[in-house]
Amino acid sequence: MSGKLERTRCRLTAHPLALDATLAAGVLACMVAGSFVDPHGKNGVTWGVRTPDALALVLMVLGALALVFRRRAPRTVLALTGTVALVECVVGDPRAPVAMSAVIALYTVAATTDRPTTWRLGLLTMTVLTGASMLFGPLPWYAQENLGVFAWTGIGATAGDAVRSRRAVVQAIRERAERAERTREEEARRRVAEERLRIARDLHDVVAHHIALVNVQAGVAAHVMDKRPDQAKEALAHVREASRSALNELRATVGLLRQSGDPEAPTEPAPGLDRLDELVGTFRSAGLHVEVARADNGTTLPAAVDLAAYRVIQEALTNVQKHAGTEAKAEVSVVRVGPNIEVTVLDNGTGEDSAPDSEPDNGGGHGLLGMRERVTAVRGTLTTGPRYGGGFRVHAILPVKTRTATPGVSA
């Protein structure tokens, strides 16, 4: 039974004209049934049965027909139903409940317009119908029927206004929910963009570092292939190891883009200063003389800061390998100074292209730009530039703990 009622309600909601016609038929039935009741008997207020006159039946039919179009023209329908109710209030003796159609029309106006309009039309309808009933009707002005006209018109306007207010509240809640959903989607897109940028920096660091090593070792192998095949074989072994390391790191980085159901998603942590010796070893095996000094006293860094320090050293040594010349030496220092960790990479390069990746627009790469972005992302500072007497210096100050202010970045 409930399923049939729900289907019927859905069909009527989908066809508002049919719903209004059904409502009009119900209101007409109620008015006709009420017109047969006579509350005034010969001996006072007693209930009896009477036969309505033809004019009352005509007015009831006209009022009900007007309600069929109450959604299309609510104010016009209110004027029509108010007119037939006014006629019945003045000439009806005894009266028929024609005012019921005016109450439904007033409810519709209140539910579909604003509150000032509801006040104006509601007060006008109540005043005209109640005043006409009291002044020109066949009953005394204090009769219950006259007060009933006032009460029912007021109830119709109040109910319609309450329904309109509830609809407005529901609509506002729905709009806020949609706005919140859009905000969440925008935040998710922003986070995805930031993650893509971070992964792009990781890919740049990995590729630049290992490809530089592969390039150097391949050059060595080609140079000594004929005269010293053992050294060429060793260089090729280093090329193979660097290539394998590059592939492993690329697999780990790109694995972050996998879906949750994809197999073999990597779970190892991002590199940090605990792998500094391994990193330096790859450069030493490529022929770069690197010295390391650490005075960080075993400081445990946040994951983002640890990764940034590692990538700064990796990128700086890669630049030394690529630009500082074959006889260059590099010095790496990691020092704890108060609330910060300071990372410094120095070289004494004498190569012609001794300014590493400083200006992408002039043909260089994006190494220093990537370092600046990483350091700034963890609220640190980065200073880079040539050294007096030759060489290059990279100096990063990274906070051990998260700070609230974002310092500037000097070049």
Side-chain angles (χ1 to χ4, degrees):
M1 180 63 70
S2 60
K4 293 182 179 179
L5 292 176
E6 182 65 21
R7 287 193 296 271
T8 302
R9 187 188 67 82
C10 292
R11 283 195 292 267
L12 290 176
T13 303
H15 301 83
L17 187 62
L19 178 61
D20 290 337
T22 303
L23 175 65
V27 172
L28 178 61
C30 293
M31 289 191 294
V32 172
S35 65
F36 282 93
V37 178
D38 183 12
H40 297 281
K42 297 180 179 179
N43 299 321
V45 182
T46 58
W47 295 92
V49 178
R50 65 184 176 89
T51 301
D53 54 23
L55 178 60
L57 291 175
V58 171
L59 294 177
M60 286 186 285
V61 172
L62 292 177
L65 287 176
L67 292 179
V68 176
F69 307 98
R70 67 187 186 96
R71 296 177 192 263
R72 297 185 177 182
R75 300 189 187 188
T76 303
V77 171
L78 176 61
L80 292 176
T81 55
T83 300
V84 296
L86 178 63
V87 173
E88 176 63 20
C89 289
V90 173
V91 302
D93 187 19
R95 287 182 189 158
V98 181
M100 185 180 295
S101 60
V103 172
I104 301 298
L106 182 58
Y107 164 85
T108 304
V109 170
T112 56
T113 59
D114 52 31
R115 181 162 293 172
T117 302
T118 299
W119 275 96
R120 289 194 300 269
L121 295 181
L123 288 175
L124 178 62
T125 304
M126 286 189 293
T127 301
V128 171
L129 294 183
T130 306
S133 300
M134 290 181 175
L135 297 177
F136 304 106
L139 300 175
W141 68 269
Y142 52 83
Q144 293 181 358
E145 285 83 348
N146 297 335
L147 298 178
V149 172
F150 177 83
W152 281 108
T153 50
I155 289 174
T158 304
D161 184 71
V163 170
R164 181 195 54 79
S165 299
R166 181 181 177 278
R167 289 174 181 170
V169 170
V170 171
Q171 181 65 24
I173 294 174
R174 184 180 294 111
E175 290 177 356
R176 283 198 297 270
E178 293 175 353
R179 239 183 349 260
E181 183 65 25
R182 287 194 299 269
T183 302
R184 283 193 295 270
E185 292 176 356
E186 292 171 359
E187 178 67 15
R189 285 194 294 268
R190 184 186 66 81
R191 290 181 180 275
V192 168
E194 292 178 353
E195 182 68 9
R196 287 175 177 172
L197 179 61
R198 186 188 68 78
I199 293 174
R201 285 198 292 260
D202 283 342
L203 288 174
H204 168 268
D205 293 341
V206 169
V207 172
H209 165 59
H210 290 289
I211 295 303
L213 296 180
V214 168
N215 181 60
V216 171
Q217 294 293 345
V220 172
H223 182 68
V224 301
M225 179 67 71
D226 296 330
K227 298 181 179 180
R228 287 175 287 179
D230 292 339
Q231 188 175 352
K233 184 182 296 184
E234 182 180 354
L236 291 176
H238 289 309
V239 168
R240 182 180 180 183
E241 182 64 27
S243 301
R244 183 184 297 112
S245 298
L247 289 175
N248 290 336
E249 292 202 37
L250 282 171
R251 187 179 298 111
T253 303
V254 177
L256 297 173
L257 300 176
R258 292 176 180 268
Q259 300 296 328
S260 59
D262 291 345
E264 299 182 358
T267 57
E268 63 182 43
L273 292 179
D274 57 339
R275 295 175 56 182
L276 180 58
D277 293 338
E278 178 185 344
L279 174 65
V280 172
T282 62
F283 285 98
R284 287 171 177 166
S285 64
L288 178 64
H289 180 74
V290 184
E291 295 181 358
V292 179
R294 297 191 66 170
D296 51 344
N297 301 323
T299 302
T300 301
L301 300 176
V305 176
D306 201 18
L307 176 60
Y310 179 89
R311 293 305 190 195
V312 167
I313 297 173
Q314 183 187 50
E315 182 63 33
L317 291 178
T318 300
N319 287 335
V320 174
Q321 183 76 54
K322 290 164 57 178
H323 303 288
T326 57
E327 302 299 326
K329 296 181 180 180
E331 299 176 4
V332 178
S333 66
V334 181
V335 182
R336 172 70 183 269
V337 180
N340 302 317
I341 197 86
E342 296 190 9
V343 176
T344 307
V345 180
L346 307 175
D347 71 81
N348 61 348
T350 58
E352 294 181 359
D353 187 14
S354 58
D357 294 353
S358 57
E359 294 294 338
D361 294 339
N362 295 334
H366 300 275
L368 295 184
L369 179 60
M371 282 192 283
R372 285 193 182 93
E373 291 178 349
R374 285 189 176 279
V375 172
T376 304
V378 296
R379 302 182 182 276
T381 58
L382 178 72
T383 305
T384 62
R387 298 174 63 194
Y388 179 77
F392 203 80
R393 177 177 182 267
V394 175
H395 180 66
I397 301 176
L398 305 171
V400 176
K401 296 182 179 180
T402 304
R403 296 183 293 178
T404 57
T406 302
V409 177
S410 60

